[in-house]
Amino acid sequence: MTVDKMRGYEELEAELRDARARLDEAEETLRAIRNNEVDALVVEGDRGVQVFTLQGAEQPYRTLMETMAEVALTMATDGTILYCNRQLATMLGAPLNRIIGRSLREIVTSKDWQALQGVLDACGASGCRGEYRLITSGGREITTSVSACPIQLQGVECLCLVISDLTEQRSFEQQLRRAQKLEALGTLAGGIAHDFNNVLAGIIGFAEMVLEDTSPDRPEHRRLTMVLKAAHRGRDLVKQILLFSRRGEQDRKPLALVEVVEDTH
């Protein structure tokens, strides 16, 4: 046997050993995937069928995602969710195995998907951000803040998304707006109450002066007494308005309903 043939056989045997080693590695990877020992996803794209796993260099990335308080997910450029943490499962009310492998489009409202897709397609190295609504497994819409940036996963361009639930923030904002409206209303009511109080002070003062000069037997005496009662009720109402405008604690005391009803006649 010539030297060239010997070298040829040796090269073939080396290639065969290398091929067997790659085959063993692939079988081991498939075995691990079947036994749920490693997270993996088969994605068919422009580069053919690819198996994405979170092993080796990607493991610290996965650990980071799992320890985050916010929702985090990795998606392919076609929108396929390659991996997500449990926070997304909690937010959507669905198990992880029903989320991973789905398209992001399925969990974003149809009105917001087109806008989100355009933002993600144009997302550069500096990242992008916007507010979009997600759909839970029960059909409820959640307003969220979505931040995205491109990353490399096993040599393939992907996107990493961090999603924050804005439901609580929106509730706080609504409460703040309501409080601001009440404060503005209180300020307005306080100003009106002060002006009205000045008017009532004049009415009460002059009515008391005339009442002192009027004989109790005359009809005018009874009429002036009714005027004073009405003015005093108005003054008490002004006190309540001022109390509301200052947001002070109310002085609670028993109320005689009979007297209130009689005063209305």
Side-chain angles (χ1 to χ4, degrees), residues 1-263:
M1 185 177 294
T2 63
V3 176
D4 292 338
K5 288 184 178 181
M6 287 292 296
R7 289 178 179 175
Y9 284 132
E10 291 176 356
E11 291 175 356
L12 287 174
E13 288 179 354
E15 291 177 1
L16 181 59
R17 287 194 298 271
D18 184 59
R20 285 176 177 171
R22 291 199 301 269
L23 180 60
D24 291 341
E25 183 180 358
E27 289 179 348
E28 177 62 21
T29 301
L30 291 174
R31 183 197 64 77
I33 293 173
R34 293 191 191 100
N35 295 334
N36 294 322
E37 296 175 8
V38 62
D39 293 307
L41 186 67
V42 178
V43 177
E44 184 175 358
D46 297 336
R47 300 178 60 178
V49 177
Q50 294 176 289
V51 179
F52 288 87
T53 63
L54 285 171
Q55 282 184 304
E58 286 79 26
Q59 188 62 36
Y61 170 70
R62 171 184 176 177
T63 303
L64 175 63
M65 292 180 68
E66 286 295 347
T67 55
M68 291 178 60
E70 303 294 334
V71 170
L73 65 89
T74 304
M75 57 171 278
T77 53
D78 65 352
T80 303
I81 300 174
L82 305 176
Y83 181 76
C84 67
N85 59 7
R86 298 188 182 278
Q87 280 74 6
L88 180 59
T90 302
M91 177 184 289
L92 299 180
L96 282 174
N97 57 10
R98 290 182 55 190
I99 299 175
I100 296 176
R102 294 174 62 186
S103 172
L104 184 66
R105 181 174 187 172
E106 298 178 35
I107 63 173
V108 179
T109 62
S110 56
K111 293 181 180 180
D112 289 353
W113 170 246
Q114 188 173 0
L116 176 58
Q117 187 178 32
V119 170
L120 294 179
D121 290 343
C123 190
S126 59
C128 51
R129 185 175 182 177
E131 293 186 7
Y132 308 95
R133 289 166 297 172
L134 304 186
I135 307 173
T136 67
S137 59
R140 184 170 61 92
E141 294 185 1
I142 304 175
T143 302
T144 64
S145 172
V146 179
S147 301
C149 65
I151 63 168
Q152 285 274 342
L153 183 62
Q154 297 177 200
V156 179
E157 288 289 340
C158 300
L159 286 169
C160 176
L161 275 64
V162 176
I163 304 174
S164 302
D165 188 350
L166 298 181
T167 303
E168 188 174 352
Q169 179 181 331
R170 290 290 181 266
S171 177
F172 287 151
E173 290 175 353
Q174 186 176 4
Q175 292 177 21
L176 178 60
R177 286 193 295 268
R178 188 180 296 115
Q180 290 173 339
K181 289 180 181 178
L182 286 174
E183 185 177 359
L185 179 60
T187 303
L188 177 62
I192 296 174
H194 278 296
D195 294 339
F196 189 49
N197 198 36
N198 294 333
V199 175
L200 286 176
I203 294 174
I204 293 173
F206 285 112
E208 289 177 345
M209 291 171 59
V210 175
L211 190 63
E212 290 179 357
D213 297 334
T214 304
S215 173
D217 299 333
R218 299 187 60 179
E220 290 82 1
H221 189 280
R222 179 177 176 275
R223 294 168 185 168
L224 287 171
T225 302
M226 294 177 63
V227 169
L228 280 174
K229 284 185 178 181
H232 287 151
R233 287 201 303 269
R235 185 176 60 185
D236 293 338
L237 180 61
V238 168
K239 289 181 180 179
Q240 295 179 23
I241 296 175
L242 289 174
L243 185 63
F244 169 76
S245 65
R246 294 168 185 166
R247 297 190 178 280
E249 293 186 2
Q250 296 183 1
D251 183 18
R252 298 185 180 182
K253 57 184 179 181
L255 178 65
L257 292 177
V258 176
E259 294 181 4
V260 175
V261 173
E262 290 178 351
D263 288 342

